[in-house]
Amino acid sequence: MPQARRPAGGRTRPRSALLPPAPAPLGDRPTAGRTRRTGGPVRHVRGQLISRTLQDLTPDERHVLRSATLFDSFDIPLATRASGLAHEAAALRLTERPFIRHHPFGLWPYHLHALIRSTLRTADDPTDDRWSPTDWQHAAERAFAALGEQWHTDTRDRLLLVGCLRQGLALARDFRLSPGWLTDAAFAYVGDSVWEPITLSAPITTDPEGPERSEGVGAATPADVVVDMLSTLARRQREHRGHTVDKLTRLIDPGLLGDDLTVMAVYYRAKAWRDIGHPDASRRDYQHVADHGGRLAAAARRGLAKAAHLAGDFPTAHTAAQQLGWEGRHQRVLGGLYWLQGEPERAAAYLAGRTEAEEHAVRGEAAHNQAKRALAIAFTDPHLADDELDLAYHLLTGLDLRATTINTEIAALVRDAGHDTVDDRVRTLRAELDIAGLISKLPTLEIAAAFHQAVLNDDQALGDTLGRLREQTRGGMHAYAVDIVHFMAGLPLPDDHVPPRRLDDEQTTRSRWRRLVISACF
């Protein structure tokens, strides 16, 4: 059989390694007699820089220029809106000045040199129309509102969303603004399951001491807390999920988040609790979110249905799935129930889930459904699974979804059942799941390993797999995996085994799984 195909990868030498070191930015070069920015030669030099920059500008151009320093990058409407002017002429003229840099293919094409930007924001301004702290605050509020307005023009544009989040969070942090539209943007960010890093530039502030940082979570403003939370959610794709639980708990417990964002943190903590094998804590958090209502209530109800599924209560999970709808990802829940009954051919539920996700432009959900569809089809038709895996890898391109990627690798193991590379790949995935803290994925991996062993009729390996599964399911979660392995191998269940609540009777489910193994042998 063909070996499992994996996404193209490999390391290439970074372009930066081929270039000589870049000179230090002007603002970072040693200066004779350098002192704090609050006085001395540096302050004098910065004052001269401001004078030279501003002396040839009209008052309106100076007004727009100061507003533009609030942005990492900007366009003419953003700069005009932040300045409070009613016309764009001054912004248009300003963009023709040599100190404005232009990148025509950027999200926002204009930006100021970092030294000019920081100097205009922090050094003494010798001009007659210099801004007071209140003027800066009002401009920041206008700039923040302008970013929100731009995002709302196309809330399905992912690049625009992330750009507005980064710039809006930086403004909210530097000027201690309330989150406002950032809450909606944060929900849009997590809703796509793409997980780009949300990193902000260093603060630029007129306060010589900079923004204060509170003890405990290192966050002083609502924006700091939102950044910490979104960064935690993105990093969980590369960190152990136990770290995710700890970090979210530190954000939730002090009450630093508003109601909606607290619910978001609790929801993702519930997912992380489940991943590391704490079903009771996971269920409590899901129930809290479901009881609260709001935007994540349907997703939390899916989590509760999944909890019933993992506990082996398939009829309850099946009934709950009928009430979830698209927001609760009902097709994904149904697909997960069907293949565990030995009916992978009913993977059409995953196809419907992928189609719904594509219609709603939710790339991560589409990739997740496709990975699970590939897993289900691999049990029945390894040749068709080739195409399904190719599509899964394609949909994962540009996404940072660790669990979904591992689902795809498990699907490739099932497709290659009987191949001599499967055992080594299973061991590699066990280690990866342990490092990631994705304990809840281990039973699915063991089912895939057992399918391979049953095809080879390897009784010794099947016995080892059953031993691992009994240990993994000792608390009662995923116990149905023990049944499935016995069914695939044609073995009787132990006398003391507690069966799950199946959708069909034991003999029907046993026959289905055994038939899948026999078909794979030919």
Side-chain angles (χ1 to χ4, degrees), residues 306-478:
K306 181 71 171 180
H309 160 161
L310 298 180
D313 188 354
F314 295 142
T316 296
H318 188 267
T319 299
Q322 313 303 315
Q323 312 301 320
L324 292 175
W326 153 249
E327 289 187 350
R329 311 302 193 251
H330 58 136
Q331 299 290 3
R332 190 209 301 183
V333 177
L334 290 171
L337 289 171
Y338 292 147
W339 82 264
L340 290 174
Q341 314 309 309
E343 296 185 280
E345 63 276 7
R346 297 183 72 179
Y350 286 128
L351 175 59
R354 190 195 77 203
T355 301
E356 285 182 339
E358 290 171 339
E359 289 172 352
H360 289 82
V362 182
R363 295 172 57 204
E365 180 65 16
H368 183 82
N369 275 280
Q370 180 58 32
K372 297 302 289 285
R373 174 173 167 80
L375 172 62
I377 288 177
F379 283 106
T380 62
D381 189 337
H383 299 294
L384 179 57
D386 280 344
D387 294 334
E388 300 297 338
L389 281 165
D390 284 343
L391 180 55
Y393 289 136
H394 173 72
L395 293 177
L396 281 165
T397 302
L399 304 182
D400 191 3
L401 296 174
R402 193 172 196 174
T404 303
T405 300
I406 291 175
N407 282 337
T408 307
E409 298 297 332
I410 293 174
L413 293 176
V414 174
R415 179 199 60 185
D416 295 340
H419 197 282
D420 57 10
T421 66
V422 169
D423 290 332
D424 286 341
R425 288 153 57 194
V426 168
R427 283 189 287 270
T428 298
L429 281 176
R430 281 197 196 107
E432 186 172 348
L433 289 171
D434 182 60
I435 291 169
L438 291 169
I439 306 304
S440 63
K441 295 289 180 186
L442 282 171
T444 302
L445 175 61
E446 298 301 347
I447 289 173
F451 185 73
H452 162 71
Q453 294 153 4
V455 168
L456 295 176
N457 200 26
D458 189 339
D459 293 339
Q460 178 62 50
L462 279 166
D464 294 342
T465 296
L466 280 170
R468 283 189 296 272
L469 273 174
R470 290 191 187 100
E471 182 64 27
Q472 293 165 10
T473 62
R474 181 177 296 175
M477 305 302 289
H478 304 275

Side-chain angles (χ1 to χ4, degrees), residues 133-190:
T134 301
D135 293 329
W136 281 107
Q137 184 69 29
H138 289 166
E141 292 167 0
R142 291 191 298 267
F144 181 76
L147 286 167
E149 290 165 4
Q150 279 212 4
W151 172 57
H152 279 107
T153 62
D154 188 357
T155 56
R156 296 180 67 168
D157 185 329
R158 185 75 186 180
L159 184 64
L160 180 62
L161 165 66
V162 174
C164 288
L165 262 177
R166 288 173 177 157
Q167 295 222 70
L169 285 165
L171 281 168
R173 174 200 62 194
D174 293 351
F175 291 90
R176 300 181 179 273
L177 307 176
S178 61
W181 59 268
L182 289 174
T183 298
D184 289 339
F187 274 93
Y189 170 80
V190 302

Side-chain angles (χ1 to χ4, degrees), residues 70 73 88 139 174 275 278 302 314 317 336 411 431 466 487 489 504 519:
L70 297 167
S73 57
E88 294 183 346
D174 293 351
D275 289 337
H278 290 266
R302 178 184 75 243
F314 295 142
L466 280 170
F487 296 165
D504 300 297
S519 297

